[in-house]
Every structure is written in C-alpha cells, then in structure tokens.
Coordinates of all heavy atoms in Angstrom, one line a residue:
V1 N 2.4 2.8 30.6 CA 1.3 1.8 30.3 C 1.7 1.1 28.9 O 1.9 1.8 28.0 CB -0.1 2.4 30.2 CG1 -1.1 1.3 29.8 CG2 -0.4 3.0 31.5
T2 N 1.7 -0.2 28.9 CA 2.0 -0.9 27.6 C 0.7 -1.2 27.0 O -0.2 -1.8 27.6 CB 2.8 -2.2 27.9 OG1 3.9 -1.8 28.6 CG2 3.2 -2.8 26.6
L3 N 0.5 -0.8 25.8 CA -0.7 -1.1 25.0 C -0.6 -2.6 24.5 O 0.4 -3.0 23.9 CB -0.9 -0.2 23.8 CG -1.0 1.3 24.2 CD1 -1.1 2.1 22.9 CD2 -2.2 1.5 25.0
K4 N -1.7 -3.3 24.7 CA -1.7 -4.6 24.1 C -2.2 -4.5 22.7 O -3.2 -3.8 22.4 CB -2.7 -5.5 24.9 CG -2.8 -6.9 24.4 CD -3.6 -7.8 25.3 CE -3.6 -9.2 24.8 NZ -4.7 -9.5 23.9
I5 N -1.5 -5.2 21.8 CA -2.0 -5.2 20.4 C -3.1 -6.2 20.3 O -2.8 -7.4 20.3 CB -0.8 -5.4 19.4 CG1 0.2 -4.3 19.5 CG2 -1.3 -5.6 18.0 CD1 1.5 -4.6 18.8
A6 N -4.3 -5.8 20.2 CA -5.4 -6.7 20.1 C -5.4 -7.5 18.8 O -5.6 -8.7 18.7 CB -6.8 -6.0 20.3
Q7 N -5.1 -6.7 17.8 CA -5.0 -7.3 16.4 C -4.1 -6.3 15.6 O -4.3 -5.1 15.7 CB -6.4 -7.4 15.8 CG -6.5 -7.7 14.4 CD -7.9 -7.9 13.9 OE1 -8.6 -8.9 14.3 NE2 -8.4 -7.0 13.0
K8 N -3.2 -6.9 14.8 CA -2.3 -6.0 14.1 C -2.9 -5.6 12.7 O -2.4 -5.9 11.7 CB -1.0 -6.8 13.8 CG 0.2 -5.8 13.6 CD 1.5 -6.6 13.4 CE 2.5 -5.7 12.7 NZ 3.6 -6.5 12.2
G9 N -4.0 -5.0 12.9 CA -4.8 -4.5 11.7 C -6.1 -4.0 12.2 O -6.5 -4.3 13.3
P10 N -6.9 -3.3 11.3 CA -8.1 -2.7 11.7 C -9.3 -3.8 11.8 O -9.2 -4.8 11.2 CB -8.4 -1.7 10.6 CG -7.7 -2.3 9.4 CD -6.5 -2.9 9.9
Y11 N -10.3 -3.4 12.6 CA -11.5 -4.2 12.7 C -12.5 -3.4 11.8 O -12.7 -2.2 12.0 CB -12.1 -4.2 14.1 CG -11.3 -5.0 15.0 CD1 -10.3 -4.5 15.8 CD2 -11.5 -6.4 15.2 CE1 -9.6 -5.2 16.7 CE2 -10.8 -7.2 16.1 CZ -9.8 -6.6 16.8 OH -9.1 -7.3 17.7
R12 N -13.1 -4.1 10.8 CA -14.0 -3.5 9.9 C -15.4 -3.7 10.5 O -15.9 -4.8 10.7 CB -13.9 -4.0 8.5 CG -14.8 -3.3 7.5 CD -14.2 -3.4 6.1 NE -15.1 -2.8 5.2 CZ -15.1 -1.5 4.9 NH1 -14.3 -0.7 5.6 NH2 -15.9 -1.0 4.0
V13 N -16.1 -2.6 10.9 CA -17.3 -2.7 11.6 C -18.3 -1.7 11.1 O -18.0 -0.7 10.5 CB -17.2 -2.4 13.2 CG1 -16.3 -3.5 13.8 CG2 -16.6 -1.0 13.4
K14 N -19.6 -2.1 11.2 CA -20.7 -1.1 10.8 C -21.0 -0.2 12.0 O -21.3 -0.7 13.1 CB -21.9 -1.9 10.4 CG -23.0 -1.0 9.8 CD -24.1 -1.6 9.2 CE -25.0 -0.6 8.6 NZ -26.4 -1.1 8.5
L15 N -21.0 1.1 11.7 CA -21.3 2.1 12.8 C -22.7 2.7 12.4 O -22.9 3.0 11.2 CB -20.2 3.1 12.9 CG -18.9 2.6 13.3 CD1 -17.9 3.8 13.3 CD2 -18.9 1.9 14.6
E16 N -23.5 3.0 13.4 CA -24.7 3.6 13.2 C -24.6 5.1 13.6 O -24.1 5.5 14.7 CB -25.8 3.0 14.1 CG -26.0 1.5 13.9 CD -26.8 1.2 12.7 OE1 -27.5 2.1 12.1 OE2 -26.7 0.0 12.2
K17 N -25.2 5.9 12.7 CA -25.2 7.4 12.9 C -25.7 7.8 14.3 O -26.7 7.2 14.8 CB -26.1 7.9 11.9 CG -26.4 9.4 11.9 CD -27.5 9.6 10.8 CE -27.8 11.0 10.4 NZ -28.0 12.0 11.4
D18 N -25.0 8.7 14.9 CA -25.4 9.3 16.2 C -25.3 8.4 17.4 O -25.7 8.8 18.5 CB -26.8 10.0 16.2 CG -26.8 11.1 15.2 OD1 -25.7 11.7 15.0 OD2 -27.9 11.5 14.7
Q19 N -24.9 7.1 17.2 CA -24.8 6.2 18.4 C -23.5 6.5 19.1 O -22.5 6.8 18.4 CB -24.9 4.8 17.9 CG -24.9 3.8 19.1 CD -25.4 2.4 18.7 OE1 -26.2 2.3 17.8 NE2 -24.8 1.4 19.4
V20 N -23.4 6.4 20.4 CA -22.2 6.6 21.1 C -21.4 5.3 21.3 O -22.0 4.3 21.8 CB -22.4 7.3 22.5 CG1 -21.1 7.5 23.2 CG2 -23.1 8.6 22.3
Y21 N -20.2 5.2 20.8 CA -19.4 4.0 20.9 C -18.2 4.3 21.8 O -17.8 5.4 21.9 CB -18.8 3.6 19.5 CG -19.9 3.2 18.5 CD1 -20.4 4.1 17.6 CD2 -20.4 1.9 18.6 CE1 -21.4 3.7 16.7 CE2 -21.4 1.5 17.7 CZ -21.9 2.4 16.8 OH -22.9 2.0 15.9
A22 N -17.7 3.2 22.4 CA -16.5 3.3 23.3 C -15.5 2.4 22.7 O -15.5 1.2 22.8 CB -16.9 2.9 24.7
W23 N -14.5 3.0 22.0 CA -13.4 2.2 21.4 C -12.4 1.8 22.5 O -12.0 2.7 23.3 CB -12.7 3.1 20.3 CG -11.5 2.5 19.7 CD1 -11.5 1.5 18.8 CD2 -10.2 3.0 19.8 NE1 -10.2 1.2 18.4 CE2 -9.4 2.1 19.0 CE3 -9.5 4.0 20.5 CZ2 -8.0 2.3 18.9 CZ3 -8.2 4.2 20.4 CH2 -7.4 3.3 19.6
C24 N -12.0 0.6 22.5 CA -11.0 0.1 23.4 C -9.6 0.7 23.1 O -9.1 0.6 22.0 CB -10.9 -1.4 23.3 SG -9.4 -2.2 24.2
T25 N -9.0 1.4 24.1 CA -7.7 2.0 23.9 C -6.5 1.1 24.4 O -5.4 1.3 24.0 CB -7.6 3.3 24.6 OG1 -7.7 3.1 26.0 CG2 -8.6 4.3 24.1
C26 N -6.9 0.2 25.4 CA -5.8 -0.6 26.0 C -5.5 -1.9 25.4 O -4.4 -2.4 25.5 CB -6.2 -0.8 27.5 SG -7.5 -2.0 27.7
G27 N -6.4 -2.4 24.6 CA -6.2 -3.6 23.9 C -6.6 -4.9 24.6 O -6.5 -6.0 24.1
L28 N -7.1 -4.7 25.9 CA -7.5 -5.9 26.7 C -8.9 -6.4 26.5 O -9.2 -7.5 26.9 CB -7.2 -5.5 28.2 CG -5.8 -5.2 28.6 CD1 -5.8 -4.8 30.1 CD2 -4.9 -6.4 28.4
S29 N -9.7 -5.6 26.0 CA -11.1 -5.9 25.8 C -11.3 -7.2 25.0 O -10.6 -7.5 24.1 CB -11.9 -4.8 25.1 OG -13.2 -5.2 24.9
A30 N -12.3 -8.0 25.5 CA -12.7 -9.2 24.8 C -13.7 -9.0 23.7 O -14.0 -9.9 22.9 CB -13.2 -10.3 25.7
T31 N -14.2 -7.7 23.6 CA -15.2 -7.4 22.6 C -14.6 -6.3 21.7 O -15.3 -5.3 21.4 CB -16.5 -6.9 23.3 OG1 -16.2 -5.8 24.1 CG2 -17.1 -8.0 24.1
Q32 N -13.4 -6.6 21.1 CA -12.8 -5.7 20.2 C -13.7 -5.4 19.0 O -14.4 -6.2 18.5 CB -11.5 -6.3 19.7 CG -10.4 -6.4 20.8 CD -10.0 -5.1 21.3 OE1 -10.0 -4.1 20.6 NE2 -9.5 -5.1 22.6
P33 N -13.6 -4.1 18.5 CA -12.7 -3.1 18.9 C -13.3 -2.2 20.0 O -12.7 -1.1 20.3 CB -12.5 -2.3 17.6 CG -13.9 -2.4 17.0 CD -14.4 -3.8 17.3
F34 N -14.3 -2.7 20.6 CA -15.0 -1.9 21.6 C -14.6 -2.2 23.1 O -14.2 -3.3 23.3 CB -16.5 -2.0 21.5 CG -17.0 -1.6 20.1 CD1 -17.4 -2.5 19.2 CD2 -16.9 -0.2 19.7 CE1 -17.8 -2.1 17.9 CE2 -17.2 0.1 18.4 CZ -17.7 -0.8 17.5
C35 N -14.8 -1.3 24.0 CA -14.4 -1.4 25.4 C -15.4 -2.4 26.1 O -16.6 -2.3 25.9 CB -14.5 -0.1 26.0 SG -14.2 -0.1 27.8
D36 N -14.9 -3.3 26.9 CA -15.7 -4.1 27.8 C -15.4 -3.9 29.3 O -15.8 -4.7 30.1 CB -15.6 -5.6 27.4 CG -14.3 -6.2 27.8 OD1 -13.4 -5.4 28.3 OD2 -14.1 -7.4 27.7
G37 N -14.6 -2.9 29.6 CA -14.3 -2.5 31.0 C -13.0 -3.2 31.5 O -12.6 -3.0 32.6
S38 N -12.3 -4.0 30.6 CA -11.1 -4.7 31.1 C -10.0 -3.8 31.5 O -9.0 -4.2 32.1 CB -10.6 -5.6 29.9 OG -11.5 -6.6 29.7
H39 N -10.1 -2.5 31.1 CA -9.0 -1.6 31.4 C -9.0 -1.2 32.9 O -8.0 -0.6 33.4 CB -9.2 -0.3 30.6 CG -10.5 0.4 30.9 ND1 -11.6 0.2 30.2 CD2 -10.8 1.3 31.9 CE1 -12.6 0.9 30.7 NE2 -12.2 1.6 31.7
K40 N -10.0 -1.6 33.7 CA -10.1 -1.2 35.1 C -8.8 -1.5 35.8 O -8.2 -2.6 35.8 CB -11.2 -1.9 35.7 CG -12.5 -1.2 35.5 CD -13.6 -1.7 36.4 CE -14.9 -0.9 36.2 NZ -15.3 -0.9 34.7
G41 N -8.3 -0.5 36.5 CA -7.1 -0.6 37.3 C -5.8 -0.2 36.5 O -4.7 -0.1 37.1
S42 N -5.9 0.0 35.2 CA -4.8 0.3 34.4 C -4.5 1.8 34.3 O -3.5 2.2 33.8 CB -5.0 -0.3 33.0 OG -6.0 0.4 32.3
G43 N -5.5 2.6 34.7 CA -5.4 4.0 34.6 C -5.9 4.5 33.2 O -5.8 5.7 32.9
M44 N -6.2 3.6 32.3 CA -6.7 3.9 31.0 C -8.2 4.0 31.0 O -8.9 3.5 31.9 CB -6.1 3.0 30.0 CG -4.6 3.0 30.0 SD -4.0 2.0 28.6 CE -4.5 3.0 27.2
K45 N -8.7 4.6 29.9 CA -10.2 4.5 29.7 C -10.5 4.5 28.3 O -9.7 4.8 27.4 CB -10.9 5.7 30.4 CG -10.3 7.0 30.0 CD -10.9 8.2 30.8 CE -10.3 9.5 30.4 NZ -11.0 10.6 30.8
S46 N -11.8 4.2 28.0 CA -12.2 4.0 26.6 C -12.2 5.4 25.9 O -12.2 6.4 26.6 CB -13.6 3.4 26.5 OG -14.5 4.3 27.1
F47 N -12.3 5.4 24.6 CA -12.4 6.6 23.8 C -13.8 6.6 23.2 O -14.1 5.8 22.4 CB -11.3 6.5 22.7 CG -11.3 7.7 21.7 CD1 -10.4 8.7 22.0 CD2 -12.1 7.7 20.6 CE1 -10.4 9.8 21.1 CE2 -12.1 8.8 19.8 CZ -11.2 9.8 20.0
K48 N -14.6 7.6 23.7 CA -16.0 7.7 23.2 C -16.0 8.5 21.9 O -15.4 9.5 21.8 CB -16.8 8.3 24.3 CG -16.7 7.7 25.7 CD -17.8 6.7 25.8 CE -18.0 6.2 27.3 NZ -17.0 6.4 28.2
F49 N -16.9 8.0 21.0 CA -17.0 8.7 19.7 C -18.4 8.4 19.1 O -19.1 7.5 19.5 CB -15.9 8.3 18.8 CG -16.0 6.9 18.2 CD1 -16.5 6.7 17.0 CD2 -15.6 5.8 19.0 CE1 -16.6 5.4 16.4 CE2 -15.7 4.5 18.5 CZ -16.2 4.3 17.2
T50 N -18.8 9.3 18.2 CA -20.0 9.1 17.4 C -19.6 9.3 15.9 O -18.5 9.8 15.6 CB -21.1 10.1 17.8 OG1 -20.6 11.4 17.5 CG2 -21.5 10.0 19.2
T51 N -20.5 8.9 15.0 CA -20.3 9.2 13.6 C -21.5 10.0 13.1 O -22.6 9.9 13.6 CB -20.1 7.9 12.8 OG1 -21.3 7.2 12.8 CG2 -18.9 7.1 13.3
Q52 N -21.2 10.7 12.0 CA -22.3 11.5 11.3 C -23.1 10.6 10.4 O -24.2 10.9 10.0 CB -21.7 12.6 10.5 CG -20.7 13.5 11.3 CD -21.4 14.6 12.1 OE1 -22.4 15.0 11.7 NE2 -20.7 15.0 13.1
D53 N -22.4 9.5 9.9 CA -23.1 8.7 8.9 C -23.1 7.2 9.3 O -22.1 6.8 9.9 CB -22.3 8.8 7.6 CG -22.2 10.2 7.1 OD1 -23.3 10.8 6.8 OD2 -21.1 10.8 7.0
T54 N -24.1 6.5 9.0 CA -24.2 5.1 9.2 C -23.4 4.5 8.0 O -23.5 4.8 6.9 CB -25.6 4.6 9.1 OG1 -26.3 5.1 10.2 CG2 -25.7 3.1 9.1
G55 N -22.5 3.5 8.4 CA -21.7 2.9 7.4 C -20.5 2.1 8.0 O -20.3 2.1 9.2
M56 N -19.7 1.5 7.1 CA -18.6 0.7 7.5 C -17.4 1.6 7.9 O -17.2 2.7 7.3 CB -18.2 -0.2 6.4 CG -19.3 -1.2 6.0 SD -19.9 -2.2 7.3 CE -18.5 -3.3 7.6
A57 N -16.7 1.2 8.9 CA -15.5 1.9 9.3 C -14.4 0.9 9.7 O -14.7 -0.2 10.1 CB -15.8 2.8 10.5
N58 N -13.1 1.4 9.5 CA -12.0 0.6 10.0 C -11.5 1.1 11.3 O -10.8 2.2 11.3 CB -10.9 0.6 8.9 CG -11.3 0.0 7.6 OD1 -11.9 -1.1 7.6 ND2 -10.9 0.6 6.5
L59 N -11.8 0.4 12.4 CA -11.4 0.9 13.7 C -10.1 0.2 14.0 O -9.9 -1.0 13.9 CB -12.4 0.5 14.7 CG -13.8 1.2 14.5 CD1 -14.7 1.0 15.7 CD2 -13.7 2.7 14.2
C60 N -9.1 1.0 14.5 CA -7.8 0.5 14.9 C -7.8 -0.7 15.8 O -8.5 -0.6 16.9 CB -7.0 1.6 15.4 SG -5.4 1.1 16.1
G61 N -7.1 -1.8 15.5 CA -7.0 -2.9 16.4 C -5.7 -3.0 17.1 O -5.5 -3.7 18.1
C62 N -4.7 -2.3 16.6 CA -3.3 -2.3 17.2 C -3.2 -1.4 18.3 O -2.2 -1.5 19.1 CB -2.3 -2.1 16.1 SG -2.1 -0.3 15.6
K63 N -4.1 -0.4 18.4 CA -4.1 0.6 19.5 C -3.0 1.6 19.4 O -2.8 2.4 20.3 CB -4.1 0.0 20.9 CG -5.1 -1.2 21.0 CD -6.5 -0.7 20.7 CE -7.5 -1.9 20.7 NZ -8.9 -1.5 20.2
H64 N -2.3 1.7 18.3 CA -1.2 2.7 18.1 C -1.6 3.8 17.1 O -0.7 4.6 16.7 CB 0.1 2.0 17.7 CG 0.7 1.1 18.8 ND1 0.1 0.0 19.3 CD2 1.8 1.4 19.5 CE1 0.9 -0.5 20.2 NE2 1.9 0.3 20.4
T65 N -2.8 3.8 16.6 CA -3.2 4.8 15.7 C -3.0 6.2 16.3 O -3.2 6.4 17.5 CB -4.6 4.6 15.2 OG1 -4.9 5.7 14.3 CG2 -5.6 4.7 16.4
K66 N -2.7 7.2 15.4 CA -2.6 8.6 15.8 C -3.9 9.3 15.6 O -4.1 10.5 15.9 CB -1.5 9.3 15.0 CG -0.1 8.7 15.1 CD 0.5 9.0 16.5 CE 2.0 8.6 16.5 NZ 2.1 7.1 16.4
T67 N -4.9 8.6 15.0 CA -6.2 9.2 14.7 C -7.3 8.3 15.2 O -8.1 7.8 14.5 CB -6.4 9.4 13.2 OG1 -6.3 8.1 12.5 CG2 -5.4 10.3 12.6
P68 N -7.3 8.1 16.6 CA -8.3 7.2 17.2 C -9.7 7.7 16.9 O -9.9 8.9 16.9 CB -8.0 7.2 18.7 CG -7.2 8.5 18.9 CD -6.4 8.7 17.6
P69 N -10.7 6.8 16.7 CA -10.5 5.3 16.8 C -10.2 4.7 15.5 O -10.2 3.5 15.4 CB -11.9 4.9 17.3 CG -12.8 5.9 16.5 CD -12.1 7.2 16.5
Y70 N -9.9 5.5 14.5 CA -9.7 5.0 13.2 C -8.3 4.5 12.8 O -7.3 5.2 13.3 CB -10.2 6.0 12.1 CG -11.6 6.4 12.3 CD1 -12.0 7.6 12.9 CD2 -12.7 5.5 12.0 CE1 -13.3 7.9 13.2 CE2 -14.0 5.8 12.2 CZ -14.3 7.1 12.8 OH -15.6 7.4 13.1
C71 N -8.2 3.5 12.1 CA -6.9 3.0 11.6 C -6.2 4.1 10.7 O -6.9 4.6 9.8 CB -7.1 1.7 10.8 SG -5.6 1.1 10.0
D72 N -4.9 4.4 11.0 CA -4.2 5.3 10.1 C -3.0 4.7 9.5 O -2.2 5.4 8.9 CB -3.8 6.5 10.9 CG -2.7 6.2 11.9 OD1 -2.4 5.0 12.1 OD2 -2.2 7.2 12.5
G73 N -3.0 3.3 9.5 CA -1.8 2.6 8.9 C -0.7 2.4 9.8 O 0.3 1.8 9.4
S74 N -0.7 2.9 11.1 CA 0.4 2.8 12.0 C 0.7 1.3 12.3 O 1.9 1.0 12.6 CB 0.1 3.5 13.3 OG 0.0 4.9 13.2
H75 N -0.2 0.5 12.1 CA 0.0 -1.0 12.4 C 1.1 -1.6 11.5 O 1.8 -2.5 11.9 CB -1.3 -1.8 12.3 CG -1.9 -1.8 11.0 ND1 -2.8 -0.9 10.5 CD2 -1.7 -2.6 9.9 CE1 -3.2 -1.1 9.3 NE2 -2.5 -2.1 8.9
C76 N 1.2 -1.0 10.3 CA 2.2 -1.5 9.4 C 3.7 -1.3 9.9 O 4.6 -2.0 9.5 CB 2.1 -0.8 8.0 SG 0.5 -1.1 7.2
A77 N 3.9 -0.3 10.8 CA 5.2 0.0 11.3 C 5.5 -0.7 12.6 O 6.6 -0.6 13.1 CB 5.3 1.5 11.5
L78 N 4.6 -1.5 13.1 CA 4.8 -2.2 14.4 C 5.8 -3.4 14.2 O 5.7 -4.0 13.1 CB 3.5 -2.6 15.0 CG 2.5 -1.5 15.4 CD1 1.2 -2.2 15.8 CD2 3.1 -0.6 16.5
E79 N 6.6 -3.6 15.2 CA 7.5 -4.8 15.1 C 6.6 -6.0 15.1 O 5.5 -6.1 15.6 CB 8.3 -4.9 16.4 CG 9.2 -3.7 16.6 CD 10.4 -3.8 15.7 OE1 11.0 -4.9 15.6 OE2 10.8 -2.8 15.1
D80 N 7.0 -7.1 14.5 CA 6.3 -8.3 14.5 C 6.2 -8.8 15.9 O 7.1 -8.7 16.7 CB 7.0 -9.4 13.6 CG 6.7 -9.1 12.1 OD1 5.6 -8.5 11.8 OD2 7.5 -9.5 11.3
I81 N 5.0 -9.4 16.2 CA 4.8 -9.9 17.5 C 4.5 -11.4 17.5 O 4.2 -11.9 16.4 CB 3.7 -9.2 18.3 CG1 2.4 -9.1 17.4 CG2 4.1 -7.8 18.7 CD1 1.1 -8.8 18.1
Ligands
FES101 S1 -4.9 -1.2 13.1 FE1 -3.9 0.4 14.3 S2 -3.3 1.8 12.9 FE2 -4.1 0.2 11.7

C-alpha cells in the first residue's frame, strides 16, 4: 500500500480531552488530519486515539510518522514531491 502524503508537515489542531479521534493513516481523507472513510477498499483503516489533556497538537500530515498520530519529524526526510 502506498501512503499518500496529504501534507508534508503536521496539522496543528485542537484536541479535546477524552474525545475519540480517528487519524487518517492512508492520506486520502478530505478532512485531514482525520479519517473520512476514503480508505475503503484499500485494506487500511483509521488510527483511533484519545488525549488526556485538552490542547493543541501536531498531527502528522505526511503519514510516515513512527509515533502516530503525532508528527515525529519524519516528514523532513521525505523526498520532495
Ligand atoms: S508530518 Fe509526518 S512526521 Fe511530520
């Protein structure tokens, strides 16, 4: 499966404590960085997560992070597209 790079950098979003979020893993969602169901048929699925604290977070947009759903700087090493 080839991951689509939705954005070569993180999405800065506000997350609410204890809410369940679905981070887009495939890069096809139109509602980045969250899943909109576009992965259907690809064999991939969203990554569900919650946070302990309400606040801003940097969610990976390149989909190559090693610490999903958060940006770990992996986008810096991607080939230019
Ligand atoms: S946006 Fe993916 S690692 Fe930073």
Side-chain angles (χ1 to χ4, degrees):
V1 179
T2 307
L3 298 176
K4 180 172 184 275
I5 297 173
Q7 171 175 292
K8 202 179 162 193
Y11 291 92
R12 189 155 175 80
V13 294
K14 184 173 187 208
L15 300 178
E16 303 284 341
K17 176 184 190 313
D18 295 335
Q19 186 164 327
V20 179
Y21 294 97
W23 176 69
C24 166
T25 62
C26 69
L28 295 175
S29 174
T31 57
Q32 294 294 333
F34 302 109
C35 175
D36 72 353
S38 294
H39 60 268
K40 275 194 180 51
S42 70
M44 298 189 67
K45 55 186 178 162
S46 67
F47 181 93
K48 305 263 192 347
F49 70 101
T50 60
T51 64
Q52 309 274 333
D53 303 295
T54 294
M56 301 303 290
N58 293 319
L59 299 189
C60 172
C62 76
K63 312 305 177 187
H64 288 71
T65 180
K66 302 286 190 295
T67 59
Y70 302 102
C71 172
D72 69 352
S74 292
H75 62 269
C76 295
L78 296 175
E79 298 285 316
D80 280 335
I81 50 164

